Amino acid sequence: MKRKKVLYFAITSVVVCYVFIWCKFHFFTKVYTQEEIDQEFAALKMDAPLYDSVNIRGYSIKYISNKKNYSVKGDEFGKKKPYLVLLHNSDKNAGYFIDYFKNKTLNQKFHIIAIDRIGFGNSTFKKPTQKNSLFQQEEKEFGKMAEYANGVAVKEILDAEGQYMEEVRIVADGNGSMAGLQAYLYKSLSFSKVFLFDPEINDRFFLSKIWSKIIISPVISGFFPRAFVSKQQDLLLADNHKGKEFAKLIKNVQSSENREATDNSYMYPKGFKSVFFFGLSDKQQRRITEISGKSNFVFQENDLNIYSSPEKVFSTILANDIYTLPFNRIR
């Protein structure tokens, strides 16, 4: 009798978990189309942001931009609006940042870009059609090319949107924070700031990694919603940077900061800072400072949901502009 109860409980638990996954990652996950965005902004009597895309090593990466909402000629010196780049966590997509585009203050201040990271929202993998394609070895949706594309996406999209000397503010959440840090590998960010909210930087337990590998396997992945499978793939992509490559990543960011501070230290009365961590535990902070020392990065508490609080995120950006050159500050 007890065995039957245990069996029934186990089966019920599995079914409940399975239904929960489908509800969260499929039925309750909103992925906007351009038509839906147009309708929402027409009701608000605002110009709608537009989807655009870049293709990186076979990956079609979509993003939402308000570039066409204003003139991009720039001021008398040719300088355009500063850029606000938004990177979502592994269980969301660019559409979760739609309130940023609806915020009139942010629309006036920034050239806003919300990215559908690989596998999420409207970003997909474009499989090679030629048998002897250059990318044949990367036919799987997530492989070494995906790791490269994930890291270089911010640079490629900023280049596509015309960024040259304008300041960049990157706001990232959860696992998207790794992409925010990786941006330093591919783009000079000496005049930019990266704000990482509740960043997922802990190296995962090996059983968690095994679970992710099981979910993405061809036999199992078909039984789960795409967004859930993509989350596991995204976690696996980030594992390398959270583990053995983490020190290298932090040191690379640190060297970028130190180079700027050394070359222009007299221009930074508060010191130069470009990376801000929000919501880290004491243990996580120690992990970073043991690599970089305590002089580089800023650690602050986090009490906001960045998706629903664009005004508070903007206030956070302004509050930390004391570490920016006067003529590069967001006014």
Side-chain angles (χ1 to χ4, degrees):
M1 192 68 174
K2 287 184 178 180
R3 289 183 179 179
K4 285 186 177 181
K5 287 183 178 180
V6 171
L7 180 61
Y8 290 150
F9 177 78
I11 293 173
T12 302
S13 299
V14 170
V15 171
V16 169
C17 290
Y18 187 69
V19 171
F20 173 78
I21 289 171
W22 270 98
C23 289
K24 179 178 180 180
F25 291 92
H26 182 73
F27 299 109
F28 298 154
T29 297
K30 176 67 174 177
V31 179
Y32 278 92
T33 64
Q34 185 63 59
E35 291 74 19
E36 289 171 327
I37 292 176
D38 291 342
Q39 290 174 5
E40 282 201 22
F41 281 78
L44 296 171
K45 297 182 178 180
M46 295 179 64
D47 292 329
L50 301 176
Y51 269 110
D52 209 333
S53 66
V54 294
N55 192 287
I56 305 173
R57 302 290 177 88
Y59 293 88
S60 178
I61 301 178
K62 300 291 194 298
Y63 62 92
I64 305 172
S65 169
N66 68 343
K67 175 175 64 176
K68 294 186 178 180
N69 291 1
Y70 59 87
S71 170
V72 294
K73 294 181 180 179
D75 58 20
E76 64 268 31
F77 304 106
K79 192 173 184 179
K80 303 187 291 290
K81 290 185 179 183
Y83 288 69
L84 178 62
V85 179
L86 305 168
L87 299 171
H88 60 81
N89 199 1
S90 299
D91 56 351
K92 295 178 172 62
N93 57 66
Y96 280 74
F97 291 112
I98 201 70
D99 284 346
Y100 284 74
F101 295 95
K102 293 178 180 179
N103 186 290
K104 294 182 179 179
T105 300
L106 292 178
N107 260 283
Q108 292 171 355
K109 292 283 185 182
F110 291 105
H111 181 148
I112 306 173
I113 300 169
I115 301 174
D116 270 332
R117 298 195 299 111
I118 296 176
F120 302 98
N122 292 294
S123 286
T124 59
F125 178 69
K126 182 180 178 181
K127 292 190 178 297
T129 55
Q130 300 177 5
K131 290 184 178 180
N132 295 319
S133 167
L134 175 64
F135 308 123
Q136 186 176 8
Q137 60 182 348
E138 297 301 334
E139 286 182 347
K140 291 184 178 180
E141 184 168 353
F142 280 70
K144 291 183 179 179
M145 291 296 183
E147 185 175 337
Y148 169 78
N150 207 36
V152 79
V154 171
K155 173 190 180 301
E156 292 292 326
I157 291 172
L158 284 171
D159 289 346
E161 289 290 288
Q163 192 272 339
Y164 176 53
M165 295 185 66
E166 295 76 34
E167 304 79 43
V168 179
R169 300 295 184 268
I170 299 174
V171 173
D173 174 50
N175 217 42
S177 298
M178 300 311 297
L181 287 175
Q182 284 176 270
Y184 275 87
L185 297 174
Y186 302 103
K187 191 167 185 68
S188 174
L189 295 173
S190 60
F191 41 74
S192 307
K193 307 293 180 203
V194 180
F195 299 88
L196 310 178
F197 290 84
D198 296 324
E200 296 179 6
I201 65 171
N202 290 339
D203 191 15
R204 292 195 296 158
F205 189 50
F206 77 98
L207 287 178
S208 179
K209 296 179 182 180
I210 291 174
W211 166 254
S212 293
K213 290 180 180 179
I214 292 173
I215 294 299
I216 71 169
S217 64
V219 176
I220 302 297
S221 60
F223 293 96
F224 290 93
R226 171 177 171 260
F228 180 69
V229 176
S230 292
K231 177 177 180 177
Q232 306 310 314
Q233 292 167 318
D234 192 51
L235 291 171
L236 288 169
L237 275 182
D239 281 336
N240 191 38
H241 290 286
K242 294 176 184 177
K244 62 182 180 180
E245 293 290 324
F246 186 72
K248 180 180 177 181
L249 185 60
I250 292 296
K251 287 180 179 178
N252 184 76
V253 178
Q254 180 187 15
S255 66
S256 296
E257 283 200 1
N258 290 344
R259 183 171 58 250
E260 178 69 13
T262 300
D263 294 345
N264 301 293
S265 59
Y266 67 97
M267 301 180 73
Y268 295 101
K270 295 289 185 179
F272 177 72
K273 308 287 183 184
S274 63
V275 178
F276 302 81
F277 292 93
F278 297 87
L280 290 184
S281 66
D282 292 339
K283 183 178 180 181
Q284 289 172 321
Q285 291 184 33
R286 284 196 301 271
R287 185 189 181 196
I288 293 172
T289 55
E290 284 174 1
I291 299 170
S292 66
K294 297 183 178 180
S295 60
N296 278 91
F297 308 123
V298 177
F299 301 100
Q300 298 178 9
E301 295 181 356
N302 179 40
D303 59 353
L304 58 89
N305 180 329
I306 68 169
Y307 304 99
S308 59
S309 307
E311 285 284 359
K312 291 183 179 179
V313 171
F314 182 47
S315 297
T316 301
I317 292 173
L318 292 180
N320 288 289
D321 253 9
I322 56 174
Y323 303 108
T324 307
L325 294 174
F327 51 80
N328 280 341
R329 292 177 181 173
I330 307 299
R331 296 175 177 84

